[in-house]
Structures are given as C-alpha cells and as structure tokens.
Amino acid sequence: MYRKLIGGKISNIRDAYNLTKTHESQSRRSGIQSFEQLVRMGSIEAYKALCEARHTDPYPINRKLLWQLEGAIQNVHWCVLSKETKERLLNGF
C-alpha cells in the first residue's frame, strides 16, 4: 500500500512506494510537480524528463529509477516487477 494517503489519495511523490524526498526533489526540478502528474505521464516519460534535467541534478539516474517509478505507479516494490515489465520499460526508449 501507499505509505501515506490523504483522503484515499497519495499526496506527495515521496509518499509513493519506492520514492523518497530526493526523488520528489528531482521530479520537481524536472517539471513533475505531483504524484498525479507522474501517473498521467507514465514511468517512461517521467524517467525521460528526469534524464533531460540531469545536467542540473547531481544524482545519477539509472534503470533502477525507471523501475522505481513504475513500481510507485503500480503500488508495488520495484523488485517485484516482472522481468517482462522491466524489459518493456527499457524497450520504451
């Protein structure tokens, strides 16, 4: 389950499964202001936005982040994403 729900909805990116305050800060710098916006974009587009903003972000972006974003959207830990899902995400580029 989501870590923190307000009125049945997730309130902040950092409150989603797999994501932290650092992820929320990175997301905001890349133009993703809310968890709802992240869900609308989908994990691949959100990941691309984070990569594009990387030059202003000292933290490395990697595949694990892509899987963490997808896990957050699906409300599961990224480790339980199937191999097929992980491959589909990587092939989405």
Side-chain angles (χ1 to χ4, degrees):
M1 293 192 119
Y2 293 126
R3 287 185 273 173
K4 297 176 189 169
L5 294 173
I6 296 178
K9 290 179 129 183
I10 192 148
S11 57
N12 297 301
I13 291 170
R14 69 176 171 251
D15 296 332
Y17 228 125
N18 308 307
L19 304 179
T20 65
K21 237 175 150 174
T22 300
H23 293 115
E24 183 172 70
S25 179
Q26 291 173 343
S27 296
R28 289 196 174 162
R29 283 195 297 268
S30 66
I32 304 167
Q33 302 301 315
S34 67
F35 182 73
E36 184 178 303
Q37 183 180 3
L38 186 146
V39 171
R40 281 194 312 267
M41 289 178 79
S43 56
I44 293 173
E45 291 306 314
Y47 181 80
K48 287 178 181 178
L50 287 165
C51 287
E52 288 174 14
R54 186 176 182 184
H55 67 278
T56 61
D57 194 330
Y59 304 102
I61 307 270
N62 57 38
R63 291 185 218 183
K64 181 180 170 186
L65 177 57
L66 174 62
W67 298 331
Q68 287 173 311
L69 292 167
E70 182 65 22
I73 291 169
Q74 291 188 29
N75 195 27
V76 297
H77 192 276
W78 69 271
C79 287
V80 301
L81 294 173
S82 69
K83 182 178 179 181
E84 293 78 18
T85 297
K86 290 177 180 179
E87 288 174 5
R88 178 184 55 79
L89 292 169
L90 292 174
N91 291 332
F93 291 93

Coordinates of all heavy atoms in Angstrom, one line a residue:
M1 N 0.8 -1.2 0.0 CA 0.0 0.0 0.0 C 0.9 1.2 0.0 O 2.0 1.2 0.4 CB -0.9 0.0 1.2 CG -1.9 -1.0 1.3 SD -3.0 -0.6 2.6 CE -4.5 -0.4 1.7
Y2 N 0.3 2.3 -0.4 CA 1.0 3.6 -0.4 C 1.3 3.9 1.1 O 0.5 3.6 2.0 CB 0.1 4.7 -0.9 CG -0.1 4.6 -2.4 CD1 -1.4 4.7 -2.9 CD2 0.9 4.5 -3.3 CE1 -1.6 4.6 -4.3 CE2 0.7 4.4 -4.7 CZ -0.6 4.4 -5.1 OH -0.8 4.3 -6.5
R3 N 2.4 4.6 1.3 CA 2.8 4.8 2.7 C 1.9 5.8 3.4 O 1.6 5.7 4.5 CB 4.3 5.3 2.7 CG 5.2 4.2 2.4 CD 6.6 4.6 2.6 NE 7.0 5.1 1.3 CZ 8.2 5.8 1.0 NH1 9.0 5.9 2.0 NH2 8.5 6.2 -0.2
K4 N 1.6 6.9 2.7 CA 0.7 7.9 3.3 C -0.4 8.3 2.3 O -0.1 8.7 1.2 CB 1.6 9.2 3.6 CG 2.7 8.9 4.6 CD 3.5 10.1 4.8 CE 4.7 9.8 5.7 NZ 5.7 10.9 5.7
L5 N -1.6 8.2 2.8 CA -2.7 8.6 2.0 C -3.5 9.7 2.7 O -3.7 9.6 3.9 CB -3.7 7.4 1.8 CG -3.1 6.2 0.9 CD1 -4.1 5.1 1.0 CD2 -2.9 6.7 -0.5
I6 N -4.0 10.6 1.9 CA -4.8 11.7 2.5 C -6.1 11.6 1.7 O -6.1 11.8 0.5 CB -4.1 13.1 2.4 CG1 -2.9 13.1 3.2 CG2 -5.1 14.2 2.8 CD1 -2.1 14.4 3.2
G7 N -7.2 11.3 2.4 CA -8.5 11.3 1.7 C -8.5 10.2 0.6 O -9.1 10.3 -0.4
G8 N -7.7 9.1 0.8 CA -7.7 8.0 -0.1 C -6.8 8.2 -1.3 O -6.7 7.4 -2.2
K9 N -6.1 9.3 -1.4 CA -5.2 9.6 -2.5 C -3.8 9.9 -1.9 O -3.7 10.4 -0.8 CB -5.7 10.9 -3.3 CG -6.9 10.7 -4.1 CD -7.3 11.9 -4.8 CE -7.5 11.7 -6.2 NZ -7.7 12.9 -7.0
I10 N -2.8 9.6 -2.8 CA -1.5 9.9 -2.4 C -1.3 11.4 -2.5 O -1.8 12.1 -3.4 CB -0.5 9.2 -3.3 CG1 0.9 9.2 -2.7 CG2 -0.5 9.6 -4.7 CD1 1.7 8.0 -2.9
S11 N -0.6 12.0 -1.6 CA -0.5 13.5 -1.6 C 0.8 14.0 -2.2 O 0.8 15.0 -2.9 CB -0.6 14.0 -0.1 OG 0.4 13.4 0.7
N12 N 2.0 13.3 -2.0 CA 3.2 13.7 -2.5 C 4.0 12.6 -3.2 O 3.8 11.4 -2.8 CB 4.1 14.3 -1.3 CG 3.5 15.5 -0.7 OD1 3.3 16.5 -1.3 ND2 3.3 15.3 0.6
I13 N 4.9 12.9 -4.1 CA 5.7 11.9 -4.7 C 6.4 11.1 -3.7 O 6.5 9.8 -3.8 CB 6.7 12.6 -5.7 CG1 5.9 13.1 -6.9 CG2 7.7 11.6 -6.2 CD1 6.6 14.0 -7.9
R14 N 7.0 11.7 -2.7 CA 7.8 11.0 -1.7 C 6.9 10.0 -0.9 O 7.5 9.1 -0.2 CB 8.5 12.0 -0.8 CG 7.5 12.7 0.2 CD 8.3 13.6 1.1 NE 7.4 14.5 1.8 CZ 7.2 15.8 1.6 NH1 8.0 16.4 0.7 NH2 6.4 16.5 2.3
D15 N 5.6 10.1 -0.9 CA 4.8 9.2 -0.2 C 4.4 7.9 -0.9 O 3.8 7.0 -0.4 CB 3.5 9.9 0.2 CG 3.7 11.1 1.2 OD1 4.7 11.0 1.9 OD2 2.9 12.1 1.1
A16 N 4.8 7.9 -2.2 CA 4.6 6.7 -3.0 C 5.6 5.6 -2.7 O 6.7 5.9 -2.2 CB 4.6 7.0 -4.5
Y17 N 5.2 4.4 -3.0 CA 6.1 3.2 -2.8 C 7.3 3.5 -3.6 O 7.3 4.0 -4.7 CB 5.4 2.0 -3.4 CG 5.4 0.8 -2.5 CD1 4.2 0.1 -2.2 CD2 6.6 0.3 -2.1 CE1 4.3 -1.0 -1.4 CE2 6.6 -0.9 -1.3 CZ 5.5 -1.5 -1.0 OH 5.5 -2.7 -0.2
N18 N 8.5 3.2 -3.1 CA 9.8 3.2 -3.7 C 10.4 4.6 -3.8 O 11.6 4.8 -4.2 CB 9.8 2.7 -5.2 CG 9.2 1.3 -5.3 OD1 9.6 0.4 -4.6 ND2 8.2 1.2 -6.2
L19 N 9.6 5.7 -3.6 CA 10.1 7.0 -3.8 C 10.4 7.8 -2.5 O 9.7 7.6 -1.5 CB 9.2 7.8 -4.7 CG 8.9 7.1 -6.1 CD1 7.9 7.9 -6.9 CD2 10.1 6.9 -6.8
T20 N 11.4 8.7 -2.5 CA 11.8 9.4 -1.3 C 11.7 10.9 -1.6 O 11.4 11.3 -2.6 CB 13.3 9.0 -1.0 OG1 14.1 9.5 -2.1 CG2 13.4 7.5 -0.8
K21 N 12.1 11.6 -0.5 CA 12.2 13.1 -0.6 C 13.2 13.5 -1.8 O 12.9 14.4 -2.5 CB 12.8 13.6 0.7 CG 11.9 14.6 1.4 CD 12.5 14.9 2.7 CE 12.2 16.4 3.0 NZ 12.6 16.7 4.4
T22 N 14.2 12.8 -1.9 CA 15.2 13.1 -3.0 C 14.5 12.9 -4.4 O 14.7 13.7 -5.3 CB 16.5 12.2 -2.9 OG1 17.1 12.4 -1.6 CG2 17.4 12.4 -4.0
H23 N 13.8 11.8 -4.5 CA 13.1 11.6 -5.8 C 12.1 12.7 -6.1 O 11.9 13.2 -7.2 CB 12.3 10.2 -5.8 CG 13.2 9.1 -5.8 ND1 13.2 8.2 -4.7 CD2 14.1 8.6 -6.7 CE1 14.1 7.3 -4.9 NE2 14.7 7.5 -6.1
E24 N 11.4 13.1 -5.0 CA 10.4 14.2 -5.2 C 11.1 15.5 -5.6 O 10.7 16.2 -6.5 CB 9.7 14.4 -3.8 CG 8.6 15.5 -3.9 CD 7.8 15.6 -2.7 OE1 8.3 16.0 -1.7 OE2 6.6 15.2 -2.8
S25 N 12.3 15.8 -5.0 CA 13.0 17.0 -5.3 C 13.5 16.9 -6.8 O 13.4 17.9 -7.6 CB 14.2 17.1 -4.4 OG 15.0 18.2 -4.7
Q26 N 14.0 15.8 -7.2 CA 14.5 15.6 -8.6 C 13.3 15.8 -9.6 O 13.4 16.4 -10.6 CB 15.1 14.2 -8.8 CG 16.4 14.0 -8.1 CD 16.9 12.5 -8.2 OE1 16.1 11.6 -8.5 NE2 18.1 12.3 -7.9
S27 N 12.2 15.2 -9.2 CA 11.0 15.3 -10.0 C 10.5 16.7 -10.2 O 10.2 17.1 -11.3 CB 9.9 14.4 -9.5 OG 10.2 13.1 -9.4
R28 N 10.5 17.4 -9.1 CA 10.1 18.9 -9.2 C 11.0 19.7 -10.1 O 10.6 20.5 -10.9 CB 10.0 19.5 -7.9 CG 8.8 18.9 -7.1 CD 8.4 19.7 -5.9 NE 7.1 19.1 -5.4 CZ 6.7 19.3 -4.3 NH1 7.3 20.1 -3.4 NH2 5.5 18.7 -3.9
R29 N 12.3 19.4 -10.0 CA 13.3 20.1 -10.8 C 13.1 19.8 -12.3 O 13.5 20.6 -13.2 CB 14.7 19.8 -10.4 CG 15.1 20.6 -9.2 CD 16.6 20.6 -8.9 NE 17.1 19.2 -8.7 CZ 17.3 18.7 -7.6 NH1 17.0 19.3 -6.5 NH2 17.8 17.5 -7.4
S30 N 12.6 18.6 -12.6 CA 12.3 18.2 -14.0 C 10.9 18.5 -14.5 O 10.6 18.2 -15.6 CB 12.6 16.7 -14.1 OG 11.7 15.9 -13.4
G31 N 10.1 19.2 -13.6 CA 8.8 19.7 -14.0 C 7.6 18.8 -13.6 O 6.5 19.0 -13.9
I32 N 7.9 17.7 -12.9 CA 6.9 16.8 -12.4 C 6.5 17.3 -10.9 O 7.3 17.1 -10.0 CB 7.3 15.4 -12.4 CG1 7.8 15.0 -13.8 CG2 6.2 14.5 -11.9 CD1 8.5 13.7 -13.8
Q33 N 5.4 17.9 -10.8 CA 5.0 18.6 -9.5 C 4.2 17.7 -8.5 O 4.2 18.0 -7.4 CB 4.3 19.9 -9.8 CG 5.1 20.8 -10.7 CD 6.4 21.2 -10.1 OE1 6.5 21.5 -8.9 NE2 7.4 21.2 -10.9
S34 N 3.6 16.6 -9.0 CA 2.8 15.8 -8.1 C 2.8 14.4 -8.6 O 3.2 14.0 -9.7 CB 1.3 16.3 -8.2 OG 0.8 16.1 -9.5
F35 N 2.4 13.5 -7.6 CA 2.3 12.1 -7.9 C 1.2 11.9 -9.0 O 1.4 11.1 -9.9 CB 1.9 11.3 -6.7 CG 1.8 9.8 -7.0 CD1 3.0 9.1 -7.2 CD2 0.6 9.2 -7.0 CE1 2.9 7.7 -7.4 CE2 0.5 7.8 -7.2 CZ 1.7 7.1 -7.5
E36 N 0.2 12.6 -9.0 CA -0.9 12.5 -10.0 C -0.3 12.8 -11.4 O -0.6 12.1 -12.4 CB -2.0 13.5 -9.7 CG -3.2 13.4 -10.6 CD -4.3 14.3 -10.2 OE1 -4.8 14.2 -9.1 OE2 -4.7 15.1 -11.1
Q37 N 0.5 13.8 -11.5 CA 1.2 14.2 -12.8 C 2.1 13.0 -13.2 O 2.1 12.7 -14.4 CB 1.9 15.5 -12.6 CG 2.6 15.9 -13.9 CD 3.3 17.2 -13.8 OE1 3.4 17.8 -12.7 NE2 3.9 17.7 -14.9
L38 N 2.8 12.5 -12.3 CA 3.7 11.3 -12.6 C 2.9 10.2 -13.2 O 3.3 9.6 -14.2 CB 4.5 10.9 -11.3 CG 5.5 9.8 -11.5 CD1 6.7 10.1 -10.5 CD2 5.0 8.5 -11.3
V39 N 1.8 9.9 -12.6 CA 0.9 8.8 -13.0 C 0.4 9.1 -14.4 O 0.4 8.2 -15.3 CB -0.2 8.5 -12.1 CG1 -1.3 7.6 -12.7 CG2 0.3 8.0 -10.7
R40 N 0.0 10.3 -14.7 CA -0.5 10.7 -16.0 C 0.6 10.6 -17.1 O 0.3 10.1 -18.2 CB -1.0 12.1 -16.0 CG -2.4 12.3 -15.4 CD -3.1 13.7 -15.8 NE -2.2 14.8 -15.5 CZ -2.1 15.5 -14.4 NH1 -2.9 15.2 -13.4 NH2 -1.3 16.5 -14.2
M41 N 1.8 11.0 -16.7 CA 2.9 10.9 -17.7 C 3.3 9.4 -17.9 O 3.7 9.1 -19.0 CB 4.2 11.6 -17.1 CG 4.1 13.1 -17.1 SD 5.5 13.8 -16.3 CE 6.7 13.7 -17.7
G42 N 3.3 8.6 -16.9 CA 3.8 7.3 -17.0 C 5.2 7.2 -16.7 O 5.9 8.2 -16.7
S43 N 5.7 6.0 -16.3 CA 7.1 5.9 -15.9 C 8.1 6.2 -16.9 O 9.1 6.9 -16.6 CB 7.3 4.5 -15.3 OG 7.0 3.5 -16.2
I44 N 7.9 5.9 -18.2 CA 8.9 6.1 -19.2 C 9.0 7.6 -19.5 O 10.1 8.1 -19.5 CB 8.5 5.4 -20.5 CG1 8.6 3.9 -20.3 CG2 9.4 5.8 -21.7 CD1 8.1 3.0 -21.4
E45 N 7.9 8.3 -19.6 CA 8.0 9.8 -19.9 C 8.6 10.5 -18.7 O 9.4 11.5 -18.8 CB 6.7 10.3 -20.3 CG 6.2 9.9 -21.7 CD 7.2 10.1 -22.8 OE1 7.8 11.2 -22.8 OE2 7.5 9.2 -23.6
A46 N 8.2 10.1 -17.5 CA 8.7 10.7 -16.3 C 10.3 10.5 -16.2 O 11.0 11.4 -15.9 CB 8.1 10.1 -15.0
Y47 N 10.7 9.3 -16.5 CA 12.1 8.9 -16.5 C 12.9 9.8 -17.5 O 13.9 10.3 -17.2 CB 12.3 7.4 -16.8 CG 13.7 7.0 -16.8 CD1 14.4 6.8 -15.6 CD2 14.5 6.9 -18.0 CE1 15.7 6.4 -15.6 CE2 15.8 6.5 -17.9 CZ 16.4 6.3 -16.7 OH 17.7 5.9 -16.7
K48 N 12.3 9.9 -18.7 CA 12.9 10.8 -19.7 C 13.1 12.2 -19.3 O 14.1 12.9 -19.5 CB 12.1 10.7 -21.0 CG 12.3 9.4 -21.8 CD 11.4 9.4 -23.0 CE 11.5 8.1 -23.8 NZ 10.6 8.1 -25.0
A49 N 12.0 12.7 -18.6 CA 12.1 14.1 -18.1 C 13.2 14.2 -17.0 O 13.9 15.2 -17.0 CB 10.7 14.5 -17.5
L50 N 13.3 13.2 -16.2 CA 14.4 13.2 -15.2 C 15.8 13.2 -15.8 O 16.7 13.9 -15.4 CB 14.2 12.0 -14.2 CG 13.1 12.2 -13.2 CD1 12.8 10.8 -12.6 CD2 13.4 13.2 -12.1
C51 N 15.9 12.4 -16.9 CA 17.2 12.3 -17.6 C 17.5 13.6 -18.3 O 18.7 14.0 -18.2 CB 17.1 11.2 -18.6 SG 17.2 9.5 -17.9
E52 N 16.5 14.3 -18.9 CA 16.8 15.5 -19.5 C 17.2 16.6 -18.5 O 18.0 17.5 -18.9 CB 15.5 16.0 -20.3 CG 15.3 15.2 -21.5 CD 13.9 15.5 -22.2 OE1 13.3 16.6 -21.9 OE2 13.5 14.7 -23.0
A53 N 16.7 16.6 -17.3 CA 17.1 17.5 -16.3 C 18.4 17.2 -15.6 O 18.8 17.9 -14.7 CB 15.9 17.7 -15.3
R54 N 18.9 16.1 -15.9 CA 20.1 15.6 -15.2 C 21.3 16.5 -15.1 O 22.0 16.6 -14.1 CB 20.6 14.3 -15.9 CG 21.7 13.6 -15.1 CD 22.0 12.3 -15.8 NE 23.1 11.6 -15.0 CZ 23.7 10.5 -15.3 NH1 23.3 10.0 -16.4 NH2 24.6 10.0 -14.6
H55 N 21.4 17.4 -16.1 CA 22.6 18.3 -16.1 C 22.5 19.3 -14.9 O 23.4 19.9 -14.5 CB 22.7 19.1 -17.4 CG 21.6 20.0 -17.7 ND1 20.4 19.6 -18.2 CD2 21.5 21.3 -17.5 CE1 19.6 20.6 -18.3 NE2 20.2 21.7 -17.9
T56 N 21.3 19.4 -14.3 CA 21.1 20.3 -13.2 C 21.0 19.5 -11.9 O 20.8 20.0 -10.8 CB 19.9 21.2 -13.3 OG1 18.7 20.3 -13.4 CG2 20.0 22.1 -14.5
D57 N 21.1 18.2 -12.0 CA 20.9 17.3 -10.9 C 22.2 16.5 -10.6 O 22.6 15.8 -11.5 CB 19.7 16.4 -11.2 CG 19.2 15.7 -10.0 OD1 20.0 15.4 -9.0 OD2 18.0 15.4 -9.9
P58 N 22.7 16.6 -9.4 CA 24.0 15.8 -9.1 C 23.8 14.3 -8.9 O 24.7 13.6 -8.9 CB 24.5 16.5 -7.9 CG 23.3 17.0 -7.2 CD 22.3 17.4 -8.3
Y59 N 22.6 13.9 -8.8 CA 22.3 12.5 -8.5 C 22.3 11.7 -9.8 O 21.7 12.1 -10.8 CB 21.0 12.3 -7.7 CG 21.0 13.1 -6.5 CD1 20.3 14.3 -6.4 CD2 21.7 12.7 -5.4 CE1 20.3 15.0 -5.2 CE2 21.7 13.4 -4.2 CZ 21.0 14.6 -4.1 OH 21.0 15.3 -3.0
P60 N 22.9 10.5 -9.8 CA 22.8 9.7 -11.1 C 21.4 9.1 -11.3 O 20.7 8.8 -10.4 CB 23.9 8.6 -10.8 CG 23.9 8.5 -9.3 CD 23.7 9.9 -8.8
I61 N 21.1 9.0 -12.5 CA 19.8 8.4 -12.9 C 20.2 7.1 -13.5 O 21.1 7.0 -14.4 CB 19.1 9.3 -14.0 CG1 18.9 10.7 -13.5 CG2 17.8 8.7 -14.4 CD1 17.7 11.0 -12.8
N62 N 19.4 6.0 -13.2 CA 19.7 4.7 -13.7 C 18.4 3.9 -13.9 O 17.3 4.4 -13.6 CB 20.7 4.0 -12.8 CG 20.2 3.9 -11.4 OD1 19.0 3.7 -11.2 ND2 21.1 4.0 -10.4
R63 N 18.6 2.7 -14.4 CA 17.4 1.8 -14.7 C 16.6 1.6 -13.4 O 15.4 1.5 -13.5 CB 17.9 0.5 -15.2 CG 18.5 0.5 -16.5 CD 18.8 -0.9 -16.9 NE 20.0 -1.0 -17.6 CZ 20.5 -2.1 -18.1 NH1 19.9 -3.2 -18.0 NH2 21.6 -2.0 -18.8
K64 N 17.3 1.5 -12.3 CA 16.5 1.2 -11.1 C 15.5 2.3 -10.9 O 14.4 2.0 -10.4 CB 17.5 1.2 -9.9 CG 16.8 0.9 -8.6 CD 17.8 0.8 -7.4 CE 17.1 0.8 -6.1 NZ 18.1 0.9 -5.0
L65 N 15.8 3.6 -11.2 CA 14.9 4.7 -11.0 C 13.7 4.4 -11.9 O 12.5 4.7 -11.5 CB 15.5 6.0 -11.3 CG 14.6 7.2 -11.2 CD1 13.9 7.3 -9.9 CD2 15.4 8.5 -11.6
L66 N 13.9 4.0 -13.1 CA 12.8 3.7 -14.0 C 11.9 2.7 -13.4 O 10.6 2.8 -13.4 CB 13.3 3.2 -15.4 CG 12.3 2.8 -16.4 CD1 11.3 3.9 -16.8 CD2 13.0 2.2 -17.6
W67 N 12.4 1.7 -12.9 CA 11.7 0.6 -12.2 C 11.0 1.1 -10.9 O 9.9 0.7 -10.6 CB 12.5 -0.6 -12.0 CG 13.1 -1.2 -13.3 CD1 12.5 -1.1 -14.5 CD2 14.3 -1.9 -13.5 NE1 13.3 -1.7 -15.5 CE2 14.4 -2.2 -14.9 CE3 15.3 -2.3 -12.6 CZ2 15.4 -2.9 -15.4 CZ3 16.4 -3.0 -13.2 CH2 16.4 -3.3 -14.5
Q68 N 11.7 2.0 -10.2 CA 11.1 2.5 -9.0 C 9.8 3.4 -9.4 O 8.8 3.3 -8.7 CB 12.1 3.4 -8.2 CG 13.1 2.6 -7.5 CD 14.2 3.5 -6.9 OE1 14.7 4.4 -7.6 NE2 14.5 3.2 -5.7
L69 N 9.9 4.1 -10.4 CA 8.8 4.9 -10.9 C 7.6 4.1 -11.3 O 6.5 4.3 -10.9 CB 9.2 5.8 -12.1 CG 10.2 6.9 -11.7 CD1 10.7 7.5 -13.1 CD2 9.6 8.0 -10.9
E70 N 7.9 3.0 -12.0 CA 6.8 2.1 -12.4 C 6.2 1.4 -11.2 O 5.0 1.2 -11.1 CB 7.3 1.1 -13.4 CG 6.3 0.1 -13.9 CD 5.2 0.7 -14.7 OE1 5.4 1.9 -15.3 OE2 4.1 0.1 -14.8
G71 N 7.1 1.0 -10.3 CA 6.6 0.3 -9.1 C 5.7 1.3 -8.3 O 4.7 0.9 -7.7
A72 N 6.1 2.5 -8.2 CA 5.3 3.5 -7.5 C 3.9 3.7 -8.2 O 2.9 3.7 -7.5 CB 6.0 4.9 -7.5
I73 N 3.9 3.7 -9.5 CA 2.6 3.8 -10.2 C 1.7 2.6 -10.0 O 0.5 2.7 -9.8 CB 2.9 4.1 -11.7 CG1 3.5 5.5 -11.9 CG2 1.6 3.9 -12.5 CD1 4.0 5.8 -13.3
Q74 N 2.4 1.4 -10.0 CA 1.6 0.2 -9.8 C 1.4 -0.1 -8.3 O 0.7 -1.1 -8.0 CB 2.4 -1.0 -10.4 CG 2.4 -1.0 -11.9 CD 2.9 -2.2 -12.5 OE1 2.8 -3.3 -11.9 NE2 3.5 -2.1 -13.7
N75 N 2.0 0.7 -7.4 CA 1.8 0.5 -6.0 C 2.4 -0.8 -5.5 O 1.9 -1.6 -4.7 CB 0.4 0.6 -5.5 CG 0.2 0.8 -4.0 OD1 1.1 1.3 -3.4 ND2 -0.9 0.3 -3.5
V76 N 3.6 -1.1 -6.0 CA 4.4 -2.3 -5.6 C 5.9 -2.0 -5.5 O 6.3 -1.0 -6.1 CB 4.3 -3.5 -6.6 CG1 2.8 -4.0 -6.7 CG2 4.8 -3.2 -8.0
H77 N 6.6 -2.8 -4.7 CA 8.0 -2.6 -4.7 C 8.6 -2.9 -6.0 O 8.2 -3.8 -6.7 CB 8.7 -3.5 -3.6 CG 10.1 -3.1 -3.3 ND1 11.1 -3.5 -4.0 CD2 10.6 -2.3 -2.3 CE1 12.2 -3.0 -3.6 NE2 11.9 -2.3 -2.5
W78 N 9.6 -2.1 -6.5 CA 10.2 -2.3 -7.8 C 10.8 -3.7 -8.0 O 10.8 -4.2 -9.2 CB 11.2 -1.2 -8.1 CG 12.5 -1.3 -7.4 CD1 12.7 -0.7 -6.1 CD2 13.6 -2.0 -7.7 NE1 14.0 -1.0 -5.7 CE2 14.6 -1.8 -6.7 CE3 14.0 -2.8 -8.8 CZ2 15.9 -2.4 -6.7 CZ3 15.3 -3.4 -8.8 CH2 16.2 -3.2 -7.8
C79 N 11.2 -4.3 -7.0 CA 11.8 -5.7 -7.1 C 10.8 -6.7 -7.6 O 11.2 -7.7 -8.1 CB 12.4 -6.1 -5.8 SG 13.9 -5.3 -5.4
V80 N 9.5 -6.5 -7.3 CA 8.5 -7.5 -7.7 C 8.0 -7.3 -9.1 O 7.1 -8.0 -9.6 CB 7.3 -7.6 -6.7 CG1 7.9 -7.9 -5.3 CG2 6.5 -6.3 -6.7
L81 N 8.4 -6.2 -9.8 CA 8.0 -6.1 -11.2 C 8.6 -7.3 -12.0 O 9.7 -7.7 -11.8 CB 8.6 -4.8 -11.8 CG 8.1 -3.5 -11.3 CD1 8.9 -2.3 -11.8 CD2 6.6 -3.3 -11.5
S82 N 7.8 -7.8 -12.9 CA 8.2 -8.9 -13.7 C 9.4 -8.6 -14.6 O 9.5 -7.4 -15.0 CB 7.0 -9.5 -14.5 OG 6.7 -8.6 -15.5
K83 N 10.1 -9.6 -15.0 CA 11.2 -9.4 -16.0 C 10.6 -8.8 -17.3 O 11.2 -7.9 -17.9 CB 11.9 -10.7 -16.3 CG 13.0 -10.6 -17.2 CD 13.7 -12.0 -17.4 CE 14.9 -11.8 -18.4 NZ 15.5 -13.1 -18.6
E84 N 9.4 -9.2 -17.7 CA 8.8 -8.7 -18.9 C 8.5 -7.2 -18.8 O 8.7 -6.5 -19.7 CB 7.5 -9.5 -19.2 CG 7.8 -11.0 -19.6 CD 8.1 -11.9 -18.4 OE1 7.7 -11.5 -17.2 OE2 8.6 -13.0 -18.6
T85 N 8.0 -6.8 -17.6 CA 7.7 -5.4 -17.4 C 8.9 -4.6 -17.5 O 9.0 -3.5 -18.1 CB 7.0 -5.2 -16.0 OG1 5.7 -5.9 -16.1 CG2 6.7 -3.7 -15.8
K86 N 10.0 -5.0 -16.8 CA 11.3 -4.3 -16.8 C 11.8 -4.2 -18.2 O 12.3 -3.1 -18.7 CB 12.3 -5.0 -15.9 CG 11.9 -4.9 -14.4 CD 12.9 -5.6 -13.6 CE 12.6 -5.5 -12.1 NZ 13.5 -6.3 -11.3
E87 N 11.7 -5.3 -19.0 CA 12.2 -5.2 -20.4 C 11.3 -4.3 -21.2 O 11.9 -3.5 -22.1 CB 12.2 -6.6 -21.0 CG 13.3 -7.5 -20.4 CD 13.3 -9.0 -20.9 OE1 12.4 -9.3 -21.7 OE2 14.1 -9.7 -20.4
R88 N 10.0 -4.3 -21.0 CA 9.1 -3.4 -21.8 C 9.5 -2.0 -21.5 O 9.5 -1.2 -22.4 CB 7.6 -3.7 -21.4 CG 6.6 -2.8 -22.1 CD 5.2 -3.0 -21.6 NE 5.1 -2.9 -20.2 CZ 4.9 -1.8 -19.5 NH1 5.0 -0.6 -20.1 NH2 4.8 -1.8 -18.2
L89 N 9.7 -1.7 -20.3 CA 10.1 -0.3 -19.9 C 11.4 0.1 -20.6 O 11.5 1.2 -21.1 CB 10.2 -0.2 -18.4 CG 8.9 -0.3 -17.6 CD1 9.2 -0.4 -16.1 CD2 8.0 0.9 -17.9
L90 N 12.4 -0.8 -20.6 CA 13.7 -0.5 -21.2 C 13.5 -0.3 -22.7 O 14.2 0.5 -23.3 CB 14.7 -1.5 -20.8 CG 15.2 -1.5 -19.4 CD1 16.1 -2.7 -19.1 CD2 15.8 -0.2 -19.0
N91 N 12.7 -1.1 -23.3 CA 12.4 -1.0 -24.7 C 11.6 0.2 -25.1 O 11.4 0.4 -26.3 CB 11.8 -2.3 -25.2 CG 12.8 -3.5 -25.2 OD1 14.0 -3.3 -25.2 ND2 12.2 -4.7 -25.0
G92 N 11.0 0.9 -24.1 CA 10.2 2.0 -24.4 C 11.0 3.3 -24.9 O 10.4 4.3 -25.1
F93 N 12.3 3.1 -25.0 CA 13.1 4.3 -25.4 C 13.4 4.2 -26.9 O 13.9 3.6 -27.5 CB 14.4 4.3 -24.6 CG 14.1 4.7 -23.2 CD1 13.9 3.7 -22.2 CD2 14.0 6.0 -22.8 CE1 13.6 4.0 -20.9 CE2 13.7 6.3 -21.5 CZ 13.5 5.3 -20.5

